[in-house]
């Protein structure tokens, strides 16, 4: 489908016209493009059907053309399409109508942002909290229909790479017109039409028309009591295909505008991959622990007080006629300071013992991330996409722990302390290349994807520890001291090549043939030196804690799949053959040892989707996959960062084999504002890697990973939303989620089966009955039940309750009042960990300046000064209760300035429809 947008009056082509192709019957979006500088446009790979072509430009009237595509009419050339100047526009008639709050567009769930009220100056995260079927966790993780959202797009384009929190916490809610939730296929899967198992739950934020054609953003700064401060800005300049955004933030109130788990995973792996002391990180993030009980809720993270400095820039644009550029850079400095008090009860085959720990940590993590992507349309049949990325991390971590072990009779077995420090630097480079070729026959395609990754790390650390051991009568029998330093190096070099060929057959079916080859080489080197008391230097090599390890893992895959697409349903079924090889070489204590393993697997997969109506569908997916042991799990070198809890690797491990079943139902009624979402997932793992614990008579625990069968887990989530008719503008959402884990551990040669059940019914009520007041109420009760075959007398049953209310009131003279209150109850815990936590926040704001661009706000966090952090874990060979020192009461005075003429308006515009009379 092609043509030229043309101004008949000036006899000139019109550049930059947005060309949208819609289905004739329901105006649903099929495809779109932008005309080049000569007004030319082209849309390819159009299926048979009846369509409407819509041409839009800011200086011209919209132009529509209706057309059909069939087997005899495959090339549609409109030639010159006339565009008319807007100066001919007559007076306008405005018709206001309420758009449906929620609807379906094909497989995309679409929310009308204007139907959900938020505070002035709210970010997208606050808007998402209002949407049925969407839940925002305390750490900012977004879940839609029970699944974690891994990608947030803005107008269909990348926004600061693959970190969803950068978009949800830095973009203003009042800029969003629609929120679209869908399953985003990988780049290769989008080209072939087959889900390759790499799909992600994604959200697309569709901006309002006045936001994607100009400058908008906000800047704010605030100072508070207890030396608290907060500042942030976001500036966005959008014009057609060009998108440019800059963001920045600095605060010490736990306000995070990004994901930091990648930093922690990086530094944690650096400190553990070489297997030894000196790198223990005691941050204990409680972001979304499915096995933990309810915790005292803080700003975002309940186990530390964080200082954050971060900023970045995002730029997307069309380069020339055929190339689309996506680029972003982001820097952050993350400094969590944590204090914790932990109490554990460990299980033995015939008894139990207790472990207590007090810990302090101060960690500083600096990271730089640069992402680029070039999408080059070579011609109508060939395309090439290149996506390089580079990251650099510099981390410094220190921790101090006091600990003790007591017998079942509460008599002291041992006690001690450890002082750990580590500093690591490293980089990671990755490049993805995707080539795609289409043939003249529809459905016949060929694609090649190549991925390679290189990373290196360098670090050093120190460990100082003194431990005392006692007899049952309390007599000191031994004192051990450790004083050592270490140097570490690590690296990884990997590649993956995958080719896919698709061929149409029968009438509505495709066959896919695929082959892939992957290989990764990882290496780690560690040198540990003990303190020499004779010369005061660290020059005595500790061979037992030093090692040089090299690991190669690779696999070869060959697969076949068939897909059939019908009007009401579609299905796909296939299988893959996999040959995986694992080779490792360990140099430790002056001896070489070699690990060599080979695994052959058949990996079947299947998918079925049925559409009951346009707004209701059910989806069933079956998949299999493998997980290979990590370098940490394989190395038989002790990690003594906690001398009472020593970890060892196991070179005899084999890979895990997983079967996964998923059932997903989505149903909405946009006319009655009703919705029902359901998700059930069952995963069974063969050769699951679990812990094998051995406890000595002196209370020292050694942990080693081993393979075990009989491990599976079940997750279910149901949410039902509907309006309450007798209360105007009120919606009720009833949700429930269930998680059941059947896991296995070993202790002193005995098997311990652990069955962990968590039930969480939840109720959310949204009230907007009064124009200038909106309120919400929620209640959630979580029941945790853990049963142990080894010690049934120690089975754990505990409850958490959380009740919340949120109130917003628009007062006269542009004043706004907000308050929220949460009450958390924890019970059936260890002594000192049963808590009742009232958390009350409030703010009052005044808008002023022209267009209400300015806002001054006074807010108070934890008005009653009662906030605490409490977490329970009961899915291992122990029950743990932990308390953390977290953020407490402070007052903050802040000023916010809006860069757009729309000012700091609250959301909830009702989704007005404007009809123009010409």
């Amino acid at each position: 489908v092609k043509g030229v947008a043309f101004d008949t009056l000036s006899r000139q082509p019109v550049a930059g016209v947005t060309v949208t192709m819609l289905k004739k019957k329901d105006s649903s979006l099929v495809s779109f493009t932008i005309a080049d500088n000569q007004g030319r446009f082209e849309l390819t790979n159009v299926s048979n059907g009846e369509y409407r072509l819509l041409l839009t430009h800011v200086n011209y009237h919209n132009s529509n053309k209706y057309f059909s595509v069939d087997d005899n009419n495959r090339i549609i050339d409109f030639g010159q399409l006339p565009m008319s100047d807007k100066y001919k526009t007559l007076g306008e008639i405005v018709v206001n109508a309420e758009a449906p709050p929620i609807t379906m567009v094909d497989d995309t769930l679409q929310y009308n942002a204007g139907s959900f009220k938020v505070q002035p100056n709210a970010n997208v995260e606050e808007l998402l909290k209002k949407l049925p079927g969407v839940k925002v966790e305390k750490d900012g993780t977004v879940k839609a229909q029970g699944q974690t959202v891994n990608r947030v797009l803005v107008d269909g384009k990348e926004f600061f790479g693959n970190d969803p929190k950068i978009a949800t916490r830095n973009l203003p809610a009042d800029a969003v017109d629609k929120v679209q939730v869908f399953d985003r296929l990988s780049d290769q899967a989008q080209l072939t039409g087959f889900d390759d198992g790499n799909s992600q739950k994604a959200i697309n934020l569709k901006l309002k028309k006045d936001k994607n054609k100009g400058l908008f953003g906000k800047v704010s700064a605030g100072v508070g009591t207890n030396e608290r401060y907060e500042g942030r800005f976001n500036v966005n300049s959008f014009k057609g295909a060009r998108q440019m955004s800059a963001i920045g933030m600095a605060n010490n109130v736990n306000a995070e505008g990004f994901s930091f788990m990648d930093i922690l995973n990086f530094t944690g792996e650096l400190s553990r991959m070489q297997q030894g002391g000196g790198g223990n990180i005691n941050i204990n993030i409680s972001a979304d622990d499915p096995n933990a009980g309810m915790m005292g809720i803080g700003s975002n993270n309940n186990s530390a007080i964080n200082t954050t400095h971060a900023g970045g820039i995002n730029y997307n644009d069309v380069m020339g006629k055929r190339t689309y550029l996506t680029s972003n850079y982001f820097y952050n400095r993350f400094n969590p300071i944590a204090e914790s008090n932990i109490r554990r009860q460990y299980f033995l085959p015939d008894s139990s013992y207790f472990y207590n720990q007090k810990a302090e940590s101060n960690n500083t993590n600096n990271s730089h991330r640069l992402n680029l992507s070039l999408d080059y349309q070579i011609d109508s049949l060939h395309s090439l996409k290149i996506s390089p990325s580079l990251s650099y991390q510099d981390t410094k971590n220190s921790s101090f722990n006091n600990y003790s072990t007591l017998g079942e009779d509460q008599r002291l077995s041992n006690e001690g302390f450890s002082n750990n420090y580590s500093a690591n630097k490293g980089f990671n480079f990755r490049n993805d290349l995707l080539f795609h070729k289409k043939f003249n026959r529809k459905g016949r395609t060929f694609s090649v994807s190549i991925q390679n990754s290189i990373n290196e790390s360098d670090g050093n650390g120190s460990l100082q520890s003194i431990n005392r051991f006692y007899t049952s009568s309390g007599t000191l029998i031994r004192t051990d001291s450790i004083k050592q330093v270490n140097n570490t190096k690590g690296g990884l070099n990997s590649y993956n090549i995958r080719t896919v060929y698709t061929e149409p057959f029968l009438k509505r079916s495709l066959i896919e043939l695929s082959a892939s080859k992957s290989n990764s080489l990882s290496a780690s080197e560690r040198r540990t030196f003990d303190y020499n008391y004779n010369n005061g230097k660290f020059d005595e090599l500790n061979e037992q804690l030093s090692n040089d390890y090299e690991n190669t893992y690779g696999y070869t895959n060959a697969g076949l799949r068939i897909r059939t697409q019908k009007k009401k349903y579609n299905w796909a079924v296939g299988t893959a053959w996999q040959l995986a090889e694992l080779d490792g070489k360990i140099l430790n204590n002056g001896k070489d040892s070699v690990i060599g393993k080979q695994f052959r697997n058949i990996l079947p997969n299947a998918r079925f989707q049925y559409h009951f109506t346009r707004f209701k569908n059910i989806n069933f997916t079956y998949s299999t996959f493998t997980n290979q042991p990590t370098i940490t799990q394989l190395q038989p070198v002790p990690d003594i960062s906690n001398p009472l809890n020593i970890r060892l690797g196991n070179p005899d491990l084999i890979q895990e084999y997983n079967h996964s079943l998923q059932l997903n139902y989505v149903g909405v009624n946009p006319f009655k504002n009703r919705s029902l979402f359901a998700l059930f997932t069952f995963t069974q793992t063969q050769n699951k890697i679990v812990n094998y614990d051995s406890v000595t008579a002196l209370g020292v625990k050694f942990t080693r990973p081993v393979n075990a069968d009989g491990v599976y887990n079940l997750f279910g989530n149901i949410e039902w939303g509907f309006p309450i008719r007798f209360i105007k503008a009120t919606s009720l959402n009833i949700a429930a989620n269930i998680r059941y884990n059947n896991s296995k551990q070993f202790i002193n040669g005995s098997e311990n089966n652990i069955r962990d059940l968590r039930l969480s019914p939840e109720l959310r009520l949204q009230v907007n009955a009064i124009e200038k007041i909106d309120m919400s109420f929620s209640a959630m009760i979580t029941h945790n039940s853990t049963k142990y075959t080894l010690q049934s007398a120690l089975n754990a049953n505990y409850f958490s309750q959380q009740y919340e209310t949120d109130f917003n009131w628009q007062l006269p003279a542009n004043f706004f009042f907000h308050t929220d209150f949460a009450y958390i109850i924890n019970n059936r815990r260890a002594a000192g960990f049963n808590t009742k936590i009232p958390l009350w926040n409030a703010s009052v704001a005044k808008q002023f300046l022209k267009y209400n661009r300015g806002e001054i706000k006074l807010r108070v966090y934890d008005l009653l000064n009662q906030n605490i952090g409490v977490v329970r874990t009961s899915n291992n060979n122990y029950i743990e209760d932990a308390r953390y020192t977290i953020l407490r009461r402070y007052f903050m005075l802040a000023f916010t300035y809006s860069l757009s003429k729309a000012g700091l308006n609250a959301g909830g515009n009702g989704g007005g429809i404007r009809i123009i009379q010409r």
Side-chain angles (χ1 to χ4, degrees):
V1 179
K2 59 184 179 179
V4 179
F6 202 77
D7 186 331
T8 55
L9 185 64
S10 64
R11 299 185 179 276
Q12 295 290 330
V14 183
V17 172
T18 300
V19 182
T20 307
M21 188 168 67
L22 309 167
K23 288 184 180 179
K24 182 180 177 181
K25 63 178 181 178
D26 58 8
S27 294
S28 59
L29 177 66
V30 177
S31 183
F32 72 93
T33 188
I34 297 176
D36 61 19
N37 292 334
Q38 283 72 44
R40 294 193 297 263
F41 65 88
E42 183 176 290
L43 295 164
T44 59
N45 198 25
V46 179
S47 304
N48 290 353
E50 295 185 336
Y51 301 99
R52 174 165 65 98
L53 196 70
L54 172 65
L55 280 69
T56 58
H57 192 281
V58 65
N59 295 325
Y60 293 85
H61 291 304
N62 294 351
S63 176
N64 286 279
K65 290 289 182 181
Y66 294 89
F67 65 97
S68 299
V69 176
D70 53 42
D71 291 336
N72 299 321
N73 195 21
R74 299 292 302 164
I75 299 177
I76 311 296
D77 188 351
F78 287 105
Q80 291 184 354
L81 288 168
M83 303 287 290
S84 301
D85 283 348
K86 273 195 173 179
Y87 74 85
K88 299 176 183 177
T89 301
L90 303 178
E92 66 177 24
I93 299 173
V94 177
V95 179
N96 289 318
E98 184 178 355
I102 180 172
T103 188
M104 288 283 292
V105 181
D106 292 330
D107 288 339
T108 297
L109 190 65
Q110 180 169 282
Y111 298 89
N112 177 40
S115 300
F116 303 93
K117 287 186 177 181
V118 293
Q119 299 178 65
N121 199 29
N123 58 21
V124 170
E125 181 177 283
E126 296 302 316
L127 171 63
L128 297 180
K129 291 178 180 179
K130 305 281 187 178
L131 307 183
V134 177
K135 185 176 182 180
V136 181
E137 303 288 355
K138 297 302 177 184
D139 71 326
T141 300
V142 179
K143 292 187 175 181
Q145 295 116 54
Q147 294 178 288
T148 300
V149 173
N150 296 302
R151 191 69 61 94
V152 173
L153 309 176
V154 178
D155 279 342
K157 301 176 179 64
E158 297 283 352
F159 190 79
F160 284 96
N162 58 0
D163 188 345
K165 295 180 187 177
I166 294 182
T168 59
R169 288 181 163 175
N170 291 282
L171 284 177
D174 57 19
V176 178
D177 180 38
K178 299 289 190 296
V179 177
Q180 299 170 328
V181 179
F182 62 102
D183 291 317
R184 185 178 189 267
L185 301 178
S186 68
D187 291 333
Q188 193 171 46
Q190 291 180 50
L191 296 173
T192 63
F194 282 86
D195 186 349
D196 58 5
N198 295 317
S199 62
Q200 297 177 322
K201 184 66 72 175
I203 286 178
N204 179 45
L205 304 174
K206 189 174 180 181
L207 301 182
K208 296 176 180 177
K209 290 184 177 180
D210 63 327
K211 301 298 183 183
N212 58 21
K213 295 180 181 178
L215 180 72
F216 69 96
K218 294 181 175 70
V219 58
S220 65
V223 294
T225 56
N226 303 325
E227 299 182 345
R228 301 295 168 200
Y229 65 88
E230 181 177 14
R232 66 171 61 236
F233 71 87
N234 67 81
V235 180
N236 307 275
S237 176
F238 290 0
K239 185 178 181 181
R242 179 183 63 77
Q243 294 182 342
M244 186 167 66
S245 300
I247 61 174
M249 63 180 301
N251 72 84
N252 61 357
V253 293
N254 286 20
E256 295 146 7
F258 58 95
S259 297
F260 54 86
M261 290 309 295
D262 56 338
I263 305 170
L264 299 185
N265 291 337
F266 170 82
T267 56
E269 181 62 20
L270 284 181
S271 64
R272 294 176 176 86
M273 68 186 297
Q274 294 87 3
Q275 286 292 326
N280 193 33
I281 299 176
N282 295 294
I283 297 180
N284 299 314
I285 299 300
S286 57
D288 185 23
D289 183 358
N291 304 293
M294 190 58 59
M295 61 201 75
I297 60 175
S299 287
N300 294 298
N301 170 16
N302 295 278
S303 58
I305 297 177
N306 309 321
T307 299
T308 304
H309 296 158
I313 187 167
N314 185 83
Y315 182 78
N316 305 328
D317 201 1
V318 174
M319 302 176 63
K321 300 177 182 179
R322 298 178 176 178
T323 304
Y324 186 77
L325 168 70
T326 300
S327 62
N328 59 80
Y329 164 77
F330 192 75
Y331 164 77
N332 65 66
R333 182 182 187 276
F334 180 63
N335 176 215
I337 298 176
E339 295 181 14
S340 62
N341 190 336
I342 293 173
R343 179 178 172 84
R344 293 177 185 165
Q345 184 175 11
Y346 282 93
F347 307 136
L348 295 174
D350 55 356
S351 61
S352 66
Y353 68 97
F354 296 90
Y355 173 81
N356 299 323
Q357 174 184 290
K358 291 184 178 181
E360 299 176 1
S361 64
N362 188 345
N363 307 310
T364 302
N365 310 284
N366 289 278
S367 73
H368 302 261
R369 299 199 306 250
L370 176 65
N371 300 299
L372 298 172
S373 180
L374 282 172
D375 200 338
Y376 178 54
Q377 189 70 37
I378 302 171
D379 54 37
S380 60
L381 298 177
H382 302 83
S383 65
L384 179 66
K385 185 174 184 179
I386 304 173
S387 305
S389 62
L390 177 67
S391 63
Y392 173 81
Q393 292 90 7
D394 183 357
T395 68
K396 292 180 175 62
N397 307 304
S398 62
S399 64
F400 182 83
N401 300 330
N402 270 310
Y403 40 77
S404 61
T405 304
L406 299 92
E408 197 168 32
D409 57 1
Q410 296 295 313
R411 291 185 178 181
L412 186 65
S413 299
N414 57 59
E415 62 180 353
F417 76 88
S418 65
N419 194 349
N420 288 273
Y421 172 80
S422 67
N424 293 286
K425 293 182 180 180
F427 76 88
N428 181 73
F429 173 78
R430 171 172 169 156
N431 188 39
D432 293 4
L433 185 148
L434 175 61
F435 171 78
H436 181 65
K437 175 179 174 57
K438 292 185 291 185
F439 296 85
N440 289 327
R441 185 178 181 185
K442 178 178 170 57
R444 180 181 293 170
T445 68
F446 175 76
S447 62
V448 179
S449 67
I450 302 175
Q451 300 171 341
N452 70 287
S453 181
I454 301 172
N455 69 56
E456 292 184 3
S457 63
D458 246 314
N460 62 80
S462 65
L463 170 64
Q464 184 176 1
S465 176
I466 296 177
N467 300 281
R468 300 178 181 87
F469 300 89
Y470 301 88
T471 64
S472 58
S473 61
T475 304
L476 177 67
I477 58 173
R478 197 177 84 203
T479 299
D480 291 344
S481 64
I482 300 172
K483 193 174 184 181
Q484 60 188 211
V485 298
N486 61 77
N487 300 304
T488 58
K489 289 184 179 180
L492 173 71
N493 194 334
S494 68
Y495 70 85
N496 180 63
I497 301 175
R498 186 170 189 261
T499 61
V500 178
Y501 176 78
T502 63
E503 177 72 20
F505 75 103
L506 300 178
K507 211 172 186 182
R508 295 179 176 270
S509 297
L510 279 177
I511 187 169
E512 178 197 68
L513 301 172
S514 64
S516 60
K517 174 67 176 176
S518 174
N519 190 75
S520 64
L521 172 64
S522 57
S524 68
E525 179 184 345
R526 180 184 183 88
R527 293 290 178 266
T528 302
F529 297 90
D530 290 323
Y531 183 72
N532 188 333
Y533 288 91
N534 294 324
N535 58 19
K537 297 180 180 180
F538 291 91
D539 58 3
E540 294 184 350
L541 179 66
N542 188 323
E543 292 186 348
Q544 289 187 335
L545 300 180
S546 300
N547 70 291
D548 193 349
Y549 185 81
E550 190 174 276
N551 176 58
T552 301
Y553 177 79
Y555 65 82
T556 302
N557 269 21
L560 168 68
R561 288 194 292 181
I562 298 174
R563 189 196 75 182
T564 296
Q565 182 79 42
K566 298 288 187 179
K567 184 177 180 180
K568 297 284 288 185
Y569 66 89
N570 63 81
W571 59 266
V573 63
T575 188
W577 171 82
Q578 183 187 79
L579 171 65
E581 296 177 287
L582 176 67
D583 294 298
K585 181 179 180 182
I586 305 169
L587 176 61
N588 174 247
N589 203 15
K591 299 179 181 179
D592 279 339
S593 59
V594 177
I595 302 170
K597 297 181 184 298
Q598 197 174 80
F599 312 100
R600 288 180 174 87
N601 293 296
I602 299 296
L603 304 172
N605 61 83
R607 183 177 184 272
F608 178 80
Q609 184 180 42
Y610 185 81
H611 293 267
F612 300 98
T613 68
R614 178 185 168 190
F615 304 113
K616 296 178 182 179
N617 68 76
I618 192 168
N619 187 29
F620 170 83
T621 304
Y622 168 70
S623 62
T624 54
F625 56 96
T626 60
N627 298 321
Q628 73 274 12
T630 66
I631 189 172
T632 302
Q633 293 169 330
L634 290 168
Q635 291 185 94
V637 182
D639 172 5
I640 61 169
S641 53
N642 185 337
L644 300 185
N645 291 278
I646 299 172
R647 305 188 69 86
L648 294 164
N650 180 6
D652 295 323
L653 290 174
I654 61 176
Q655 66 177 189
E656 300 175 345
Y657 188 97
N658 300 273
H659 300 265
S660 179
L661 294 168
Q662 185 178 98
L663 182 67
N664 189 20
Y665 173 83
V666 176
V668 300
N669 188 330
F671 313 107
K672 295 184 178 181
N673 193 19
R674 294 177 178 270
S675 61
L676 178 62
F677 309 108
L679 172 71
F680 295 94
T681 302
F682 175 81
T683 303
Q684 188 260 342
T685 305
Q686 298 170 0
N687 302 315
K688 178 71 175 177
I689 298 175
V690 301
N691 286 338
Y692 189 110
D693 295 340
S694 299
V695 181
T696 69
L698 296 177
V700 179
K701 180 168 70 73
F702 292 84
T703 299
R704 183 169 172 262
V706 296
N707 292 106
D709 288 326
V711 176
Y712 59 88
N713 64 77
L714 171 69
F715 171 78
N717 181 79
I718 299 177
E719 182 164 342
W720 179 33
F722 55 91
I724 302 177
R725 296 299 181 187
F726 63 88
I727 306 176
K728 184 182 177 182
T730 299
S731 63
L732 179 65
N733 288 274
I734 300 173
N737 101 49
I738 179 174
R739 189 184 299 271
Y740 180 78
N741 295 309
N742 188 84
S743 59
K744 188 174 292 187
Q745 307 276 311
F746 296 88
I747 180 72
N748 284 359
S750 298
E751 180 181 296
N752 185 21
N753 286 299
I754 305 171
R755 298 179 177 88
D756 186 65
L757 173 66
R758 179 180 181 181
L759 294 171
S760 299
E762 182 179 3
L763 182 147
R764 288 189 292 168
L765 180 66
Q766 189 73 37
V767 181
N768 303 119
I770 303 175
E771 181 181 355
K772 296 187 177 182
I773 293 179
D774 73 275
M775 299 173 288
S776 65
F777 307 91
S778 67
M780 181 171 67
I781 300 175
T782 302
H783 173 235
N784 293 269
S785 174
T786 307
K787 295 183 178 180
Y788 309 93
T789 58
L790 191 64
Q791 286 273 10
S792 58
L794 298 175
N795 290 347
N797 286 282
Y798 54 98
F799 291 88
S800 298
Q801 303 171 56
Q802 181 166 324
Y803 306 96
E804 295 186 24
T805 182
D806 190 278
F807 179 83
N808 295 291
W809 186 10
Q810 182 176 347
L811 299 166
N814 289 327
F815 278 92
F816 292 84
F817 174 74
H818 164 79
T819 186
D820 60 81
F821 181 79
Y823 191 61
I824 302 98
I825 303 172
N826 297 310
N827 56 16
R828 296 191 181 182
R829 310 282 178 99
F833 294 88
N834 293 302
T835 57
K836 296 180 180 179
I837 308 165
L839 182 61
W840 186 11
N841 306 316
S843 69
V844 60
K846 163 69 176 175
Q847 293 185 0
F848 60 105
L849 301 181
K850 191 175 182 180
Y851 303 115
N852 289 328
R853 283 179 168 175
E855 178 192 79
I856 188 165
K857 177 186 288 188
L858 176 65
R859 64 185 176 94
V860 56
Y861 171 78
D862 188 17
L863 184 61
L864 303 177
N865 203 30
Q866 296 292 310
N867 194 22
I868 59 175
V870 176
V871 178
R872 165 163 279 204
T873 304
S874 60
N875 64 325
N876 296 294
N877 275 339
Y878 58 81
I879 300 173
E880 176 184 285
D881 286 305
R883 290 172 65 103
Y884 299 98
T885 299
I886 59 176
L887 199 63
R888 300 290 290 269
R889 181 173 59 197
Y890 68 87
F891 292 81
M892 178 79 70
L893 182 66
F895 171 74
T896 301
Y897 183 78
S898 174
L899 303 178
S900 62
K901 291 184 178 181
L904 300 167
N905 297 322
N909 56 23
I913 300 173
R914 180 177 293 264
I915 298 177
I916 307 296
Q917 174 185 323
R918 298 187 177 91

